[in-house]
Amino acid sequence: MGFSKDQLLNRLQELEIDYTKYEHPPVLTVEAQAKYVSSSEGALSKNLFFKDKKHRYYIVSAMVDTKVDMKVLSQRLGLGKGGVRMAPEEALAQLLQVSLGCVTPFAVVNESARDVSLLLDQNFKNQKRCIFHPLSNEVSVSLNTSGLDKFLKSIERDPVYVDLEANPAVGKDQPPDLAVYVPSNSVVIPEITSETSTKQTPPPKSVSAEVKPVASAKPSKPASKGKSVVVENSTLLAFKNPEKFVEEIMDKTSALLLSEVAKGENVEALAETRRKLLTSELTHLAIMFKNTAYTEGFHAGKHSQPKRL
Amino acid sequence: MEVDKKDENESESSEQVVNPWEVSAKDGGKIDYDKLIDKFGCQRLDESLIDRVQRLTSRQPHVFLRRGVFFAHRDFNEILDAYEKGDKFYLYTGRGPSSEALHLGHLIPFMFTKYLQEAFKVPLVIQLTDDEKCMWKNLSVEESQRLARENAKDIIACGFDVTKTFIFSDFDYVGGAFYKNMVKVSKCVTLNKAMGIFGFSGEDHIGKLSFPPVQAVPSFPSSFPHLFPGKDNLRCLIPCAIDQDPYFRMTRDVAPRLGYSKPALIESSFFPALQGENGKMSASDPNSAIYVTDTAKDIKNKINKYAFSGGQDSVEKHRELGANLEVDIPVKYLSFFLEDDSELEHIKKEYGEGRMLTGEVKKKLTEVLTEMVERHRRSRAAVTDEMVDAFMAVRPLPSMFE
């Protein structure tokens, strides 16, 4: 069972962390929270819980005014421009053990969240106090970042503060600056519904998996028909949707680059064959994309009505 | 004029038999390709032609060319001559949709044709001979049409460009200009000649007799007025397996009499069954081939259990004598599908000299094939009925040479 609000508050007291508690009706949004807790008490926070394609989870806790660009963040984490998405509800329940609208840095106190990476807004440090939910959305606590740090250290977590608005270039000579905060372990959440299972099953063959480093064993493919139908739905999007299409390309390319780097080879000297294989794969992907677009046009053409004169 | 050998239909087991409906080696041995080239009168595809292809297309020649899978041709050099001068050509290949299950051997001509389309930037027509299968395999008309559409999906999944590809089924398309050419061709081939080329006899129904022109006329651009209007001199290149040669020998014979250019051919050898060159790949034996619907587990299983190994019986003997690369199926399959020349060479050397074991070679093959089949499956899943309709629509292809 996850930590309860009371257990958490007791822990804060034990650690002699100074905090102020505010009780209010359950709130699901920052706007609602702002009605009950005024900004004179401290800086409100917005808390995002998201995951990447390899089922690694992240909490980003930021000042409400801080602009958080998920694409930039994703790139800085080394996941490519569209490598992250909001975590599904089940993950919230299973990993953070909190309810909707209750994501908070404090959630990492749970053992189930040990692999969740926590990134805190640098701007918190300039505030006297910051406001977070203590595992319940009927309560808010305000405390100083030093208090938060003390708490995190007590559960053997290093507080990580990041300039969330920074947008450094990520490229060959500038490795992603936040990549070090990517969890080393991914988490598998058992499927609940088929809707979400597309995102939750172990990496579908469609995504970067196939260009894995030769050294690693290939995961087994979906054997049952039902599962493979689910897997294929997410691939089909890559053939239709330009964003997903580019995502696919970025995934495959970075997977290949990473595998070459992992093998200790100079990225420049990317083996000719590997590069050719990637080119051939990406061309194939592009052709299917083109064919899909043409087909949609063809359909539209067949069904278009003559102009009304 | 072609030397038209009239004795292809020998059914004595002392001679190998290669025609569109039967392929068998002499005395259960291997197909002798040199003899075949000699008998058919086509040419070997030599290094100089492959180099020329590389120069003209500015890219590495396809693995099937490098490894001699496509090894024979007729007039391919003339196609290249014309191409160099700026005269394009179009591609023509096809499939007889006899079954829903496609195995890797079936994909080979399509994989190669896709490469040709990309490398030379030329259009392609693909004929689905549903009428042929209806006649020869005694399928119902509806079933053969259905199979044609299903096969079309696997073909499209090979990665053809819809803006440069026209797929048609005989039942849908025969008629109009196509039929006019069929009649013209028919007038030039006597019954005796047809019986000589194709082995027909008095017992065969007349449907079979009248089929060859159907497969011949896609070689003529005037059969496709919506594609090549006014381009009657456009040359045609036909990538196919060498057992289809008889159809096109006949076509090449007839073409000049109709005032048409002879189609050029580029021909492949046969893809061996898992059990070895002497075995037969048959739809009834699922373990004789790797199918595009096989799961990773199936592939691993089939290769481990059924792929004929040229390795020795014991590890010690193997280390001493090395593997027999002539009969080893995994290495043969790798020579078809492993892109990396140096990696293949390495495997052949190590395995042939006994340092690498069969298990390792099989493991590599499983990897390569699984990746291929997976990729095919993913593309296949994206092919909708609508996409098939688009490929099969009788429409102009304005960017076919881009």
Side-chain angles (χ1 to χ4, degrees), chain B residues 18-23 36 40 74 92-96 109 127 129 132-133 197-198 211 215 238-251 265-268 270:
Chain B
V18 176
N19 65 48
W21 304 285
E22 189 189 343
V23 173
L36 199 57
F40 282 0
R74 292 183 189 276
Y92 156 40
T93 192
R95 162 145 176 94
Q127 180 183 44
T129 58
E132 183 207 354
K133 291 311 170 187
I197 300 174
F198 298 108
F211 178 72
Q215 187 155 326
I238 309 176
C240 60
I242 196 164
D243 63 345
Q244 301 297 307
D245 197 83
Y247 282 117
F248 304 114
R249 278 208 303 284
M250 176 198 80
T251 313
L265 279 102
I266 183 163
E267 296 159 308
S268 69
F270 304 111

Side-chain angles (χ1 to χ4, degrees), chain B residues 51-110:
Chain B
D51 288 337
R52 221 178 146 193
V53 169
Q54 172 148 21
R55 268 183 292 118
L56 283 173
T57 57
S58 315
R59 63 173 77 190
Q60 195 193 29
H62 193 267
V63 63
F64 291 161
L65 277 174
R66 302 197 314 264
R67 308 278 168 75
V69 173
F70 276 82
F71 71 110
H73 76 95
R74 292 183 189 276
D75 289 350
F76 186 46
N77 50 322
E78 283 185 31
I79 291 275
L80 295 181
D81 288 340
Y83 189 76
E84 220 162 10
K85 293 206 199 85
D87 292 331
K88 304 273 195 168
F89 59 94
Y90 74 100
L91 294 162
Y92 156 40
T93 192
R95 162 145 176 94
S98 53
S99 64
E100 212 159 338
L102 279 173
H103 55 64
L104 296 183
H106 293 133
L107 291 187
I108 288 176
F110 293 108

Side-chain angles (χ1 to χ4, degrees), chain B residues 17-64:
Chain B
V17 178
V18 176
N19 65 48
W21 304 285
E22 189 189 343
V23 173
S24 59
K26 179 174 164 171
D27 293 330
K30 277 171 59 166
I31 298 282
D32 185 338
Y33 287 107
D34 286 316
K35 251 198 174 153
L36 199 57
I37 289 184
D38 212 41
K39 189 173 188 189
F40 282 0
C42 43
Q43 257 86 54
R44 269 253 172 216
L45 243 180
D46 56 30
E47 277 300 313
S48 63
L49 270 178
I50 301 178
D51 288 337
R52 221 178 146 193
V53 169
Q54 172 148 21
R55 268 183 292 118
L56 283 173
T57 57
S58 315
R59 63 173 77 190
Q60 195 193 29
H62 193 267
V63 63
F64 291 161

